[in-house]
Amino acid sequence: SRHKEVSRAVRSFNDRRSKKNRRIGEVVKNTKDKIVYGILEREQADNKVSFEQQTTISMDKQTGEVTSQGNLKEAFDKALDEFKGKCTEEDIRNFLREVVRMCHGVSKRPTGGIYFVPSRYSQFILDAQKVIASFNSRSRIYAERVMNGSAERQNVWDSVEIAVEETIAEQLAAVGRIERVSSIKGHLDEIEDTSKLMAVYQELLGEEAKYEALAEKIEDAVRVVSEKMRAAQVGIDAKLAAKMAAKQAAKQAIKIPAANSTASPANPTANSVTGKAKGGLTIGDAAVKVLSEDGKQMHYREIVDKAIGQGIYASASADPYATFNGTLTQAISNGTEKRVKKVGRGVYELAA
């Protein structure tokens, strides 16, 4: 993608080791419409070292247009041209990892590089060879058949056990550091996927697959993560319940005046109904008071919050905001309230 081309061109200037020429490329702004990168260069004056942004690169996300300015403008433009439309070694490595994962491959050694893949997926590996060859890259992928002997089968199962146990350990460690339910769910999915991997090799290897102990480890890990996810959800529900209870308590703490205690005989519904200002004030009076104090246009929710806070508005309805807004709008519309005018959807200001 164009985004990846620009990102790679920026990262190509990263140099954290040189003493005199250190540079750091980073995202300084990322909005819906554009992304802006900065390349910071090392500066030293009076024995003080700092990194200053001397080059800025901006990309329009809709058009892909890139503009650059600063010390490294020419060098960046050249680097961007070199990355344009090209696959890199990183792309190829990601591709190969995804192919091996798709084929239920397991690493033969901790550092990777050599993988066992069930023979039923061999055609995918052969096809991947052709793809890599078409890139004319230094990367290579080789496929060799493994002898179907008891020792070889045991070696494969040993690798399956290591792969599953490492995945479980990594996911449990990650879950211990997070609280978001959606993030925990992703780690739970990773652990549950190890069951699928184990099932593939259990069927393939038969009696060499001593899967009972491994299945128990997976079940234990699933239980731990599931409990963590439930606890996180309970915490969220508790916070939500506490918030709702506090809001309900705040409503109940507001004394509701009698429905007709201060209503205007001429127009008893203009500023009363179930939403009513307190202390003999109409809803229009409450709006005027709040707007006068702030001296600006305000949304009705903000007006209501301040009126309630000052003890000049109360509502017996389920939604005091809607009641206030509807009553005030009606009063302005029928001409009983001329001190306030509506200037937008739910927005009011004092009339001139």
Side-chain angles (χ1 to χ4, degrees), residues 76-91:
F76 171 79
D77 291 344
K78 182 179 179 181
L80 181 59
D81 188 59
E82 291 175 354
F83 280 104
K84 185 176 180 180
K86 293 183 180 178
C87 269
T88 66
E89 298 296 323
E90 180 183 354
D91 290 319

Side-chain angles (χ1 to χ4, degrees), residues 117-246:
V117 175
S119 58
R120 73 182 72 167
Y121 303 111
S122 60
Q123 189 57 49
F124 290 104
I125 302 300
L126 298 176
D127 290 341
Q129 282 181 316
K130 297 176 184 178
V131 173
I132 298 301
S134 70
F135 289 156
N136 194 25
S137 162
R138 292 176 299 172
S139 299
R140 295 288 185 273
I141 180 171
Y142 302 96
E144 297 179 356
R145 290 191 172 275
V146 177
M147 182 177 174
N148 191 15
S150 58
E152 289 77 15
R153 294 160 72 89
Q154 185 59 55
N155 286 340
V156 172
W157 182 250
D158 289 343
S159 294
V160 171
E161 288 185 324
I162 291 172
V164 171
E165 289 172 353
E166 287 182 346
T167 297
I168 290 174
E170 289 173 3
Q171 302 309 316
L172 289 178
V175 165
R177 299 190 295 267
I178 59 177
E179 295 296 333
R180 290 177 56 193
V181 173
S182 58
S183 298
I184 297 175
K185 178 64 167 61
H187 293 290
L188 179 61
D189 291 342
E190 288 287 335
I191 293 175
E192 291 178 336
D193 281 346
T194 60
S195 294
K196 301 174 185 176
L197 179 71
M198 184 183 70
V200 169
Y201 284 93
Q202 179 187 343
E203 178 186 355
L204 179 69
L205 301 175
E207 63 181 18
E208 279 81 8
K210 309 298 183 183
Y211 64 89
E212 292 87 353
L214 196 57
E216 289 181 4
K217 291 181 181 180
I218 295 174
E219 289 177 4
D220 289 342
V222 168
R223 185 177 63 256
V224 169
V225 178
S226 297
E227 290 175 356
K228 169 81 173 182
M229 189 162 64
R230 281 195 294 271
Q233 186 62 56
V234 167
I236 293 173
D237 293 343
K239 288 180 181 179
L240 182 60
K243 187 176 180 180
M244 295 297 294

Side-chain angles (χ1 to χ4, degrees), residues 8-19:
R8 286 176 172 171
V10 171
R11 282 189 286 140
S12 70
F13 287 89
N14 283 351
D15 184 354
R16 299 174 181 270
R17 296 188 176 185
S18 300
K19 290 185 177 181

Side-chain angles (χ1 to χ4, degrees), residues 29-43:
K29 185 177 182 181
N30 192 358
T31 67
K32 179 180 68 175
D33 301 317
K34 70 177 181 178
I35 184 167
V36 179
Y37 296 89
I39 300 178
L40 286 64
E41 298 182 59
R42 182 181 185 272
E43 292 188 356

